[in-house]
Amino acid sequence: MVIAIYPGSFDPITLGHLDIIERGGMLFERVIVAVLCNTSKKPVFSVEKRVEQIRECTQHLLNVEVDSFTGLTVEYAKLHKAGVLLRGLRVLSDFEKELQMAHTNKTLSEAIETVFLATTTEYSFLSSSTVKEIAQFGGEISHLVPENVARDLYVYYSKPNQ
């Protein structure tokens, strides 16, 4: 059984991320969406909230789990007996960064492969930071993120001092 880890901060999860999760679920027996606890970033949503959001919008995918972790992705993958790190690519600049990360991960574990999926064309421009910027100024984001996430973002940015 091939288990794939799809790591990321997912702050917030977008329809582009969801597309990669769904397609990964067709390729691998099990996909674990692993929300990274990155202490160097100031996220909009807590790790717990992001895990909850992702669980809600992936509940229809029976072979997808959602978890969180700190530390090295490769160590998390080993702990869960995963053989694949799943990554999405949008643009050429993503490829350079992702390839460097894949090579680095390979030096940490020869047994874990990185598999890249090209983002579906309609989501090739989409990033979490773009979604947050649009939401911050009250723009329409329901075509960019799952419905539950759009609601949470609108609530977050409707509060004073956000």
Side-chain angles (χ1 to χ4, degrees):
M1 168 150 76
V2 179
I3 299 169
I5 304 292
Y6 183 34
S9 56
F10 305 106
D11 186 44
I13 188 168
T14 68
L15 293 179
H17 293 128
L18 197 53
D19 176 60
I20 297 293
I21 294 166
E22 289 172 347
R23 291 168 48 215
M26 290 187 282
L27 296 172
F28 303 104
E29 285 84 4
R30 207 164 122 219
V31 174
I32 302 172
V33 180
V35 179
L36 174 63
C37 305
N38 188 341
T39 55
S40 67
K41 288 186 176 180
K42 172 91 171 72
V44 167
F45 298 117
S46 69
V47 169
E48 297 77 21
K49 182 65 174 175
R50 286 178 270 158
V51 166
E52 175 190 313
Q53 289 170 332
I54 298 167
R55 281 186 179 143
E56 185 176 334
C57 63
T58 60
Q59 62 189 343
H60 65 289
L61 303 170
L62 302 180
N63 63 336
V64 172
E65 299 172 30
V66 185
D67 194 13
S68 63
F69 76 103
T70 55
L72 296 173
T73 305
V74 167
E75 293 304 318
Y76 179 84
K78 286 180 191 175
L79 183 68
H80 291 275
K81 298 178 178 26
V84 169
L85 298 177
L86 181 61
R87 302 297 296 161
L89 296 174
R90 294 171 300 173
V91 292
L92 187 59
S93 58
D94 280 354
F95 180 73
E96 291 178 39
K97 185 183 91 183
E98 292 292 344
L99 186 61
Q100 181 181 19
M101 198 180 320
H103 287 313
T104 302
N105 287 335
K106 200 65 168 167
T107 69
L108 299 173
S109 176
E110 283 286 324
I112 298 172
E113 293 293 338
T114 300
V115 172
F116 300 107
L117 289 181
T119 305
T120 303
T121 306
E122 68 182 295
Y123 303 124
S124 62
F125 69 94
L126 188 53
S127 70
S128 295
S129 53
T130 300
V131 169
K132 287 185 281 194
E133 187 173 350
I134 294 168
Q136 182 178 8
F137 294 104
E140 179 59 44
I141 57 169
S142 62
H143 61 295
L144 305 174
V145 295
E147 186 180 316
N148 63 314
V149 176
R151 267 193 323 267
D152 291 343
L153 280 166
Y154 289 135
V155 167
Y156 177 83
Y157 286 115
S158 69
K159 295 176 185 169
N161 300 322
Q162 294 304 336

